[in-house]
Amino acid sequence: MAELTYHTSGESHGPGLIALVQGLPADVPVDETFINHELRRRQGGYGRGGRQKIETDAIEVLSGVRLGRTIGSPVTMRIRNKDSRLDDTERTPPVHRPRPGHADLAGSVKWLTTDCRATLERASARETAARTAAGALARCLLRELEIEAFGFVRAIFDVESEVSINADSWRDALAARDASDVYCPDPEASEGMRAAIRLAKIDKDTVGGIVEAHVFGCPIGLGSSVDWRTKLDGRIAQAVMSIQAFKAVEIGLGRECARRRGSDVHDPIRFERDDADSPSLGFVRDSNNAGGLEGGMTNGSPLVVRGTMKPISTLLQGLPSVDLNTKEADRSEYERSDISAVSAASVVMENVVAFEVARAALEKFGGDSLIETQDNLRRFLATARLLPIEKPGGPALA
Ligand code: EPS
């Protein structure tokens, strides 16, 4: 079985975006309605700009699926851009005044041009539609392994919700999140977040925030401590940090760990025989400061990941910059954009984190078809419940 990977291609105003997912086992039911639902959520959220009124993002499956199920070959998904005008230089003109905070300056110098257009078209967060599709497809597999992901907005600008999410409460939180147009399950905080976006808009400014994703049902032992490339916390960090405009990633308690002693950080372990059938195999924690990851491996507690998104770098008021052709001081260029895309980013993060979990799950359980993957998972859990095990040919190491 090949490693689960994905690639994306496409420009913001080109004909469309592609997500190419390789390494899924055969027979995974592909829930296109769910994938499209995630794409629609990504397009939403209070504070989005005009583009989302033009687009109705949806996938067309071009390969890898027959009669609604994967067949083990690469899955290609296309999302068409309605606002396709890349070669129309009147409607999509060259950009010479880079936006501080955007890829404009670094990319233009890197590709030896004074036109930022080539860089910004690919650097645009429009690409996250393809990443969301890839993650949502991977979640079609995760569901079959009883693993679920949930993402929401924790903070926008200076308004932060104190809502606490756990394995028992998350489905209620999901309903509350879906009732909030900023994707925060806390109605009071949602009001404040909306106000922060409104005020930024009046001031021709933008705001960022913090998004959070939880993954429930992971068996113990996804990821690995033996090699830095297989550590799941490291992979999640890369997946999240690479989302456009993200500047920080935290797992569990994150930065707060630095201000506490060990006895106030590490989650004590108990054994509850009644929970032995759960993915945690009965090893229970009353706290989850580790965010479900210890030594780069899942530990049976839910994964908790937070990402910080900076304010969008396209400001209606512009920012001090330089014309790349004349080298004269000027304000940065304005392109249609969002005041806040934090809500959308919560959908992207939920899905890219889920993809990394699916990748680690397939590394551990493998299988060319879904039944094999499920069997391998079941057998692993059954064996782990037997610990201490007398290993064949060796001394009992109990
Ligand atoms: C986005 C599409 C873009 C931007 C935004 C995200 O559409 P357009 O540039 O045509 O208005 O709204 O992109 C950026 C934030 C960025 O920095 O480029 C989308 O579909 O998410």
Side-chain angles (χ1 to χ4, degrees):
M1 248 233 24
E3 184 190 5
L4 183 68
T5 56
Y6 71 100
H7 295 273
T8 71
S9 65
E11 279 69 42
S12 184
H13 304 100
L17 301 162
I18 294 280
L20 174 68
V21 179
Q22 284 179 284
L24 277 175
D27 298 328
V28 176
V30 175
D31 185 347
E32 285 192 38
T33 307
F34 169 69
I35 297 170
N36 288 335
H37 174 75
E38 289 302 278
L39 290 179
R40 293 297 295 166
R41 286 210 306 123
R42 194 206 70 90
Q43 285 198 268
Y46 185 72
R48 294 285 257 161
R51 178 73 181 269
Q52 306 313 326
K53 292 191 184 76
I54 302 171
E55 304 293 345
T56 30
D57 290 348
I59 54 158
E60 292 163 75
V61 177
L62 304 185
S63 74
V65 178
R66 180 168 181 263
L67 302 173
R69 289 180 178 257
T70 57
I71 53 173
S73 59
V75 179
T76 312
M77 294 176 286
R78 173 168 64 190
I79 301 161
R80 288 180 195 263
N81 287 334
K82 288 189 184 159
D83 197 13
S84 168
R85 50 179 160 87
L86 195 55
D87 287 340
D88 179 344
T89 46
E90 270 179 31
R91 291 169 64 222
T92 315
V95 173
H96 300 299
R97 292 173 279 130
R99 293 159 292 178
H102 211 281
D104 297 351
L105 174 63
S108 298
V109 174
K110 177 178 172 65
W111 283 291
L112 297 176
T113 171
T114 57
D115 179 6
C116 308
R117 172 67 56 193
T119 300
L120 72 87
E121 281 289 332
R122 178 64 184 156
S124 164
R126 174 112 193 103
E127 187 259 352
T128 61
R131 278 203 254 183
T132 300
L137 175 65
R139 288 169 74 183
C140 295
L141 166 73
L142 288 180
R143 276 180 185 176
E144 303 297 317
L145 309 177
E146 292 177 28
I147 298 172
E148 301 268 7
F150 170 67
F152 66 98
V153 171
R154 168 66 71 190
I156 291 183
F157 192 49
D158 59 356
V159 183
E160 183 158 348
S161 169
E162 294 298 317
V163 69
S164 97
I165 304 294
N166 58 47
D168 299 321
S169 70
W170 76 272
R171 284 181 198 278
D172 291 338
L174 186 144
R177 175 200 74 187
D178 288 348
S180 156
D181 62 1
V182 286
Y183 302 177
C184 172
D186 173 343
E188 212 173 300
S190 292
E191 263 313 308
M193 291 174 187
R194 212 174 294 117
I197 296 169
R198 212 166 31 233
L199 288 176
K201 184 175 185 180
I202 291 169
D203 293 340
K204 298 188 164 79
D205 218 323
T206 57
V207 283
I210 299 172
V211 294
E212 196 165 303
H214 294 234
V215 184
F216 300 99
C218 293
I220 297 184
L222 301 187
S224 176
S225 57
V226 302
D227 182 273
W228 65 270
R229 279 165 298 209
T230 53
K231 286 176 180 255
L232 185 53
D233 44 9
R235 285 184 175 175
I236 286 173
Q238 164 151 34
V240 173
M241 189 60 110
S242 65
I243 302 171
Q244 286 77 342
F246 274 54
K247 281 301 204 187
V249 190
E250 292 177 88
I251 290 182
L253 208 51
R255 288 187 333 146
E256 171 67 18
C257 287
R259 305 194 314 148
R260 296 195 190 186
R261 288 183 166 175
S263 56
D264 203 19
V265 167
H266 302 298
D267 309 304
I269 307 169
R270 289 186 288 118
F271 185 72
E272 287 281 353
R273 211 160 289 279
D274 288 351
D275 284 335
D277 282 340
S278 76
S280 76
L281 304 169
F283 297 105
V284 175
R285 317 287 185 102
D286 293 325
S287 56
N288 186 16
N289 293 333
L293 284 158
E294 289 169 317
M297 297 170 287
T298 50
N299 68 2
S301 296
L303 297 192
V304 182
V305 184
R306 260 185 315 283
T308 299
M309 185 188 201
K310 68 187 180 187
I312 288 198
S313 50
T314 313
L315 275 64
L316 195 49
Q317 57 174 288
L319 285 171
S321 184
V322 169
D323 186 310
L324 293 182
N325 284 331
T326 63
K327 311 251 164 75
E328 299 289 333
D330 208 337
R331 303 290 284 182
S332 58
E333 215 130 338
Y334 179 71
E335 285 256 322
R336 178 187 60 202
S337 190
D338 312 307
I339 308 300
S340 162
V342 179
S343 308
S346 73
V347 183
V348 180
M349 190 174 89
E350 169 178 346
N351 283 291
V352 300
V353 167
F355 193 96
E356 294 310 314
V357 173
R359 185 144 85 106
L362 283 177
E363 271 167 16
K364 176 127 183 72
F365 304 114
D368 289 303
S369 62
L370 177 62
I371 288 184
E372 205 182 338
T373 312
Q374 287 171 320
D375 268 359
N376 292 341
L377 166 61
R378 255 192 302 271
R379 207 167 319 117
F380 168 72
L381 292 176
T383 310
R385 272 183 207 110
L386 297 176
L387 283 169
I389 303 165
E390 202 167 314
K391 305 215 172 165
L397 295 175

